[in-house]
Amino acid sequence: MVTAADQLAGSAGISLLDQGGSAADAMVAAAAVMAVVGPHLCGLGGDVLAMVKAPGESPVALLAVGRAGSGADPRRLRADGHGDMPLRGDIRSVPVPGAVDGWLALHGRYGRRPWDAVLEPALTLAEEGFAASPILAFASHLVADVPGASQLCPEGPLRPGQRVRLPGIARTLRNLATGGRDAFYGGEFGRALLDLGAGEYAAQDLDRPLAQWAEPLTLRAFGHDLWTVPPPSQGYLTLAGAWIADEVGMPTDPADPRWPHLVAEASRAAGFDRPAVLFDGADGPALVTPDRLGPRAAAIDPERAASSGAAGAGVAPWSGTSVSADGDTTHLCAVDADGLGVSLTQSNALDFGAHLVAGGTGVFLHNRGVGFSLAPGHDAEYGPGRRPSHTLSPALVTRPDGTLAQVIGTMGGDVQPQILLQLLARMLHSGQDPAAAISAARVVIEAPGAPPFRLWQAPARSLLMEFDAPPSWLAGLESRGHRVRVVGALNPVDVGCSQIIAVESDDTHVTLTGASDPRSPEGAAVGR
């Protein structure tokens, strides 16, 4: 089974499984297709993080997180008047993209099909064309005038259903298929990045592999073991929030007004100090110890909202103006017939990333560097070779006996762990199936007026709730002191777009139940 935010990606993944490929082959094929048909969400110029569970083995984490170039200089940015990393139009917010290294690492360790066969579906779509989805057409208005975007938008913003061909992406994929890593980082793309960087990068920055296999973080909650990637990812917040919610005592009925209240309070208790404690090299296991989380759980009042609080200790609140965003990330899941499960998230960070294109390749470059700090001496300060704090939070779930129960993940920027907490609570604690859990209304902490990726640095926060929530939610939240803003249902910009595959087995059968978020109307869960 494969789940994806676009049915073309899901079909590509399942075709690799039909050819005898593994879940890793399926994930790389689907991810590459998403880079073609969903460049507003992710691409070859982004990053990849993944969780992998092989039968009989402990889960492992894959971090393909780009590093700032050798020319990274925070003093120069501060001298230019920046208090925060620039969001768009500045190459300094573009760490060397790690996505391709991530695909190569995943395929190299767990793939079975030839590398060129895995990339073939994406290459075919880039060469022969595909119909622009309504969301891509809408997002294309953001970049139609960006230099280098003419391949995507040859006549201005796209129309839904318009045929899109991407010859530069096709050429880049073909070179990657035949020449591997060297043909990408050392080829046309790499040369374009060095030229665009004008000193931000050195050749050795592109020679350095960016994919790292790492020990994941794990914590038991709702009777299961939850797993996620370590820092610099914020994935620890998924585990911390779930543990705190379980410790406080979540109601089993999500319609209970205490349910959204405890989701919000557990998320706040887990995340309020994220800007101070999350950075490249942070001690992930120390962030999820019961000794650290226990006092936070004990401080939660089931009948009263805590103060919205200020920015994390030692971190100045954000400065600057608000910037709207539409799309930035996508998640994919796959489980194969042998029981290998992959949970993979890839991202541009903010819609089309930095709104910079790598020469004639047509590859949009991410702006994941917005996760750096410009506070002098901060542990997450922008600097040569450093990796930024990351929002991507792929996860998986195992049972106490070590068997795979779920692969799960979401888009959603800073609120990814809050979305995952709600999905996990619904499925593991309330017994909902993946389709019911993924389509249910969500509530998340927001910071009105703050720019993207600055949730926990905002001076005040409130709650955002989808309008199709149970009637008890709004009254229950407001009576407990929460400020609530009600928004339309099924909007991925507000509450993310998720993917799930659940695994059930007995002595004779294995059943896979997949769900693709209805907040992405092009999405699909495809199984055999």
Side-chain angles (χ1 to χ4, degrees), residues 33-215:
V33 166
M34 286 301 305
V36 173
V37 304
H40 57 302
L41 299 172
C42 60
L44 290 92
D47 278 354
V48 160
L49 284 83
M51 286 296 307
V52 185
K53 172 70 171 72
E57 299 178 10
S58 294
V60 293
L62 175 62
L63 302 177
V65 177
R67 296 179 181 272
S70 297
D73 186 349
R75 295 168 299 179
R76 188 166 65 246
L77 270 170
R78 290 190 287 264
D80 289 345
H82 293 285
D84 295 295
M85 295 294 293
L87 286 173
R88 295 186 174 114
D90 196 313
I91 195 66
R92 293 171 292 187
S93 289
V94 185
V96 178
V100 167
D101 264 348
W103 298 350
L104 286 161
L106 183 60
H107 177 265
R109 183 164 177 173
Y110 294 104
R112 289 199 293 255
R113 295 291 295 155
W115 175 241
D116 58 347
V118 172
L119 295 183
E120 184 61 32
L123 175 58
T124 299
L125 287 166
E127 285 185 336
E128 299 182 3
F130 60 93
S133 70
I135 294 178
L136 173 58
F138 176 76
S140 70
H141 288 258
L142 297 169
V143 295
D145 296 327
V146 168
S150 59
Q151 291 186 39
L152 178 66
C153 303
E155 301 171 352
L158 298 171
R159 303 179 306 277
Q162 180 178 341
R163 196 74 173 174
V164 179
R165 292 181 175 84
L166 301 171
I169 299 292
R171 184 173 64 251
T172 302
L173 285 169
R174 186 170 298 283
N175 291 337
L176 177 61
T178 57
R181 185 184 197 280
D182 288 345
F184 182 75
Y185 290 100
E188 181 184 2
F189 173 83
R191 292 191 298 271
L193 187 63
L194 290 172
D195 289 345
L196 196 60
E200 178 72 7
Y201 318 102
Q204 60 265 30
D205 297 331
L206 280 67
D207 292 339
R208 180 182 188 179
L210 298 167
Q212 171 195 4
W213 292 102
E215 286 293 320

Side-chain angles (χ1 to χ4, degrees), residues 261 265 303-308 461-463 474-484:
H261 167 69
E265 292 301 284
E303 300 302 329
R304 193 68 190 167
S307 168
S308 61
R461 294 180 285 273
S462 56
L463 299 183
L474 181 59
L477 289 169
E478 291 183 335
S479 70
R480 288 170 170 80
H482 294 281
R483 290 181 293 120
V484 183

